[in-house]
Amino acid sequence: MGISNLATKYGFQSFSHYSSGRSGAKVDKIVIHHMATTNYDIVPEIWKTREASAHYGIGKNGEIRSYVDEENTAWHAGNWNANISSIGIEHCNSTGAPNWGINQVTIDASAKLCADIAKRYGLGKLVVNKNIFPHSHFSATSCPGQLLGKLQEIADKANAINNGSSVPSAPTSGLYRVRKSWGDAKSQVGAYKDLNNAKRAADSHSGYKVYDPNGNQVHPTSSSTSNVKTLVVQVNGLNVRNKPSLSGAVVGSYNKGATWTLPKTEKHTIADGWVWARCPIGYCAVGKNTGKTETSDYILIS
């Protein structure tokens, strides 16, 4: 049985949505997710009805739980080859939609778990998009949310743990820092109160980026939105179901203002007289199937 010594079992394999074994594949990567919920305890109960799972989950206070044995395949990446060769880690959110915040203690616990996994599987130095990936690398999804900008920090801290060196810490002042990566404090060329000054400094140094006081990359940012559409919830308490149907189990809800993106090629499903759209944790009803946008629609798409 393969379970990190850092984790405790919780609802361990109490659901059917995982596969025994690894289909002969070797674990060579870690995939990072966010839960899109602030309810740590609801996972893995939702996997009893939703066809998904992950090996581990990390709570808002840094607790680490084991859901699926590492020797088995969790259904987390949306890509079978990635599933059989990876370990999936979910992270509980500290705030709800649309920001889906992540506590620093959750990120620090993730680094410890990733360091443990990397050491036990001989992954060597963790490098983003080489052996530690965001969920969105394998699927058209907004997951892992804010963690997309935290992957380098997680990798850097995990590598520091395995190298026996000090772990990079979060900044303590409200300054914008210009570095090659968040975890590479030695590369810092300046810390600025004014964001525009920080941007100018980063632009004058090839490969440098600007990070806010919480370690989020704020420059440069991707401006390419031509291939995605944005969905914005218009009502409070919009149900999220595990399949595009009124018969689907409710696995969560969104309030007005929640947003996410989907590829423009993503097709909607028509069922039970409603238009259904995919979201990070399941499916939502967009509105009645009238063939056009209505003022009463639950979700507006642009």
Side-chain angles (χ1 to χ4, degrees):
M1 180 174 291
I3 299 172
S4 172
N5 290 332
L6 300 174
T8 57
K9 291 183 180 180
Y10 186 86
F12 186 76
Q13 297 184 174
S14 60
F15 42 89
S16 61
H17 297 141
Y18 69 93
S19 300
S20 297
R22 289 282 186 173
S23 299
K26 177 183 177 182
V27 171
D28 60 10
K29 66 179 71 69
I30 299 167
V31 180
I32 300 297
H33 307 259
H34 77 155
M35 291 181 175
T37 180
T38 59
N39 187 350
Y40 187 36
D41 294 336
I42 199 173
V43 178
E45 184 69 21
I46 60 173
W47 296 333
K48 291 182 179 179
T49 53
R50 184 182 175 200
E51 294 183 353
S53 60
H55 294 95
Y56 294 101
I58 303 178
K60 288 180 282 187
N61 297 318
E63 317 96 309
I64 301 175
R65 292 174 175 173
S66 172
Y67 303 131
V68 175
D69 194 304
E70 290 178 6
E71 295 180 358
N72 294 329
T73 301
W75 301 355
H76 63 96
N79 176 294
W80 181 246
N81 288 333
N83 282 345
I84 61 176
S85 59
S86 68
I87 292 177
I89 306 174
E90 291 277 2
H91 300 71
C92 188
N93 300 90
S94 58
T95 61
N99 294 326
W100 296 121
I102 299 287
N103 283 340
Q104 186 63 44
V105 68
T106 303
I107 293 168
D108 292 342
S110 181
K112 293 177 182 178
L113 178 58
C114 288
D116 175 63
I117 293 168
K119 185 174 183 179
R120 288 188 290 109
Y121 284 91
L123 301 186
K125 179 181 178 181
L126 289 180
V127 178
V128 176
N129 292 332
K130 178 182 177 182
N131 50 17
I132 181 169
F133 294 88
H135 181 192
S136 55
H137 184 89
F138 300 104
S139 300
T141 176
S142 59
C143 180
Q146 288 192 12
L147 285 170
L148 185 62
K150 297 291 187 178
L151 283 182
Q152 190 63 56
E153 178 184 351
I154 291 172
D156 288 341
K157 288 186 172 182
N159 292 331
I161 291 169
N162 283 341
N163 290 336
S165 56
S166 60
V167 177
S169 60
T172 57
S173 60
L175 300 175
Y176 294 98
R177 285 164 165 74
V178 181
R179 302 175 177 179
K180 287 184 178 180
S181 70
W182 172 243
D184 188 2
K186 292 183 179 179
S187 70
Q188 183 169 302
V189 296
Y192 303 83
K193 289 184 178 180
D194 184 83
L195 177 58
N196 289 328
N197 289 339
K199 288 181 178 180
R200 283 192 285 270
D203 291 342
S204 66
H205 293 78
S206 178
Y208 277 72
K209 307 172 184 68
V210 179
Y211 297 89
D212 71 12
N214 293 316
N216 298 305
Q217 182 180 324
V218 295
H219 179 76
T221 58
S222 174
S223 59
S224 177
T225 59
S226 60
N227 293 321
V228 300
K229 51 192 175 186
T230 300
L231 291 79
V232 184
V233 176
Q234 303 299 302
V235 296
N236 288 325
L238 178 62
N239 284 334
V240 182
R241 299 180 182 273
N242 69 335
K243 62 181 180 180
S245 169
L246 293 176
S247 64
V250 175
V251 296
S253 67
Y254 289 126
N255 287 327
K256 185 175 182 179
T259 65
W260 65 91
T261 60
L262 291 175
K264 284 191 174 178
T265 55
E266 175 86 12
K267 296 185 181 297
H268 302 313
T269 301
I270 309 298
D272 303 329
W274 294 83
V275 178
W276 298 85
R278 192 162 56 85
C279 68
I281 59 173
Y283 294 87
C284 291
V286 174
K288 285 290 187 180
N289 182 27
T290 63
K292 59 182 180 179
T293 300
E294 305 285 355
T295 57
S296 59
D297 283 350
Y298 295 154
I299 297 174
L300 291 184
I301 302 175
S302 60

